[in-house]
Amino acid sequence: MSRTPPPIAFSRPRAGEQPPYLHEPYGSTIKRAPRRPPVPLPHTLSEVTGPNFAGDWAGVHTTDLTRPGGKGEAQGQRIIVAGQLLDEDGKPIPRSLVELWQCNAAGRYLHDGDVHDAPLDPNFTGYGRLMTNDQGEYRFLTIKPGAYPWRNTHNAWRPAHIHFSLFGNAFATRLITQMYFPGDPLLATDPIYNSVPDQSARRRLISDYDAALSEAEYALGYRFDIVLRGRTATPMEQ
């Protein structure tokens, strides 16, 4: 009688491949990083279930950020951001909710808490969402975000970036990360990007320019694959 082969061991990330809770150059972590051991909380129905992703609330109207509501067009350089959601073995993760949010081309968010002296764009909300397809793929049309000052230190500017939120089939499975752009000189001094100690792991946060993804005379293409766990996992915010 044949025996079931033992399960493949989980490949845990190596030390330094994920950001720590406390990274002193990133000022706000000093206040919010836990100082005491975590207290385990038992999962209830609220944590082990998730939102109902059925319906038309995630579709074309939420993947094209350049024309919200079919009205005027957003200002700035159009870009296509696409990639795959993958597990630790490189297998695609289908039917998973991907959300993104970002500032506009001038470096300002559509948010009451953003007091940066830069113009708002009436045709840009900076928010999109979709469900990955059967191959775990996602694709957004958006505007390249601008850099902005953030008062972490004197004359501190955040490099251009896009926030990603990734949902599994339960609320407790949400992961958040950021995507950066190749060749940005602000990466060298950004404490959030550099809170990941391992250089090769930090590189996973930078998208790749993809000429095949670009559309001639219309939009540049950037590819950003996201690996959820394992030795090649994309660094996630703690």
Side-chain angles (χ1 to χ4, degrees), residues 122-140:
N123 296 313
F124 189 74
T125 64
Y127 174 73
R129 63 178 180 264
L130 57 70
M131 301 293 291
T132 57
N133 63 18
D134 291 340
Q135 288 74 47
E137 297 169 328
Y138 71 89
R139 183 184 186 276
F140 292 97

Side-chain angles (χ1 to χ4, degrees), residues 188-201:
T189 58
D190 184 62
I192 298 180
Y193 171 73
N194 288 289
S195 66
V196 181
D198 185 85
Q199 183 177 2
S200 62

Side-chain angles (χ1 to χ4, degrees), residues 10-230:
F10 171 56
S11 300
R12 296 186 179 277
R14 298 180 180 88
E17 292 188 340
Q18 294 291 327
Y21 288 108
L22 175 63
H23 182 64
E24 293 190 355
Y26 180 11
S28 64
T29 67
I30 297 174
K31 294 182 177 180
R32 70 168 183 251
R35 302 288 181 174
R36 299 178 181 178
V39 176
L41 297 175
H43 283 178
T44 65
L45 187 62
S46 297
E47 287 80 38
V48 299
T49 58
N52 183 1
F53 297 144
D56 61 356
W57 60 275
V60 175
H61 63 291
T62 62
T63 59
D64 183 355
L65 282 68
T66 66
R67 292 181 179 273
K71 299 179 181 179
E73 187 169 13
Q75 298 296 305
Q77 181 186 75
R78 287 184 294 263
I79 60 173
I80 298 166
V81 179
Q84 271 187 303
L85 204 59
L86 303 166
D87 68 13
E88 62 184 310
D89 299 316
K91 297 178 181 178
I93 301 177
R95 308 299 301 164
S96 185
L97 177 64
V98 177
E99 299 174 294
L100 67 75
W101 68 95
Q102 62 170 95
C103 64
N104 65 19
R108 188 170 178 184
Y109 290 93
L110 184 62
H111 189 282
D112 292 341
D114 191 340
V115 295
H116 175 32
D117 185 19
L120 287 171
D121 186 340
N123 296 313
F124 189 74
T125 64
Y127 174 73
R129 63 178 180 264
L130 57 70
M131 301 293 291
T132 57
N133 63 18
D134 291 340
Q135 288 74 47
E137 297 169 328
Y138 71 89
R139 183 184 186 276
F140 292 97
L141 176 64
T142 185
I143 298 296
K144 187 173 183 180
Y148 59 82
W150 65 306
R151 302 179 182 176
N152 184 65
T153 57
H154 175 68
N155 199 28
W157 289 74
R158 289 238 55 214
H161 62 280
I162 296 176
H163 301 265
F164 278 83
S165 168
L166 314 161
F167 258 115
N169 56 5
F171 282 110
T173 61
R174 188 187 188 203
L175 297 173
I176 297 175
T177 190
Q178 296 186 27
M179 182 199 94
Y180 300 92
F181 293 86
D184 192 328
L186 293 175
L187 289 173
T189 58
D190 184 62
I192 298 180
Y193 171 73
N194 288 289
S195 66
V196 181
D198 185 85
Q199 183 177 2
S200 62
R202 284 198 303 272
R203 177 62 186 79
R204 298 172 205 153
L205 295 171
I206 302 176
S207 60
D208 293 310
Y209 168 69
D210 188 341
L213 184 61
S214 302
E215 294 187 9
E217 302 180 29
Y218 186 71
L220 295 177
Y222 292 91
R223 186 164 299 281
F224 185 59
D225 294 336
I226 303 172
V227 181
L228 296 187
R229 69 175 191 172

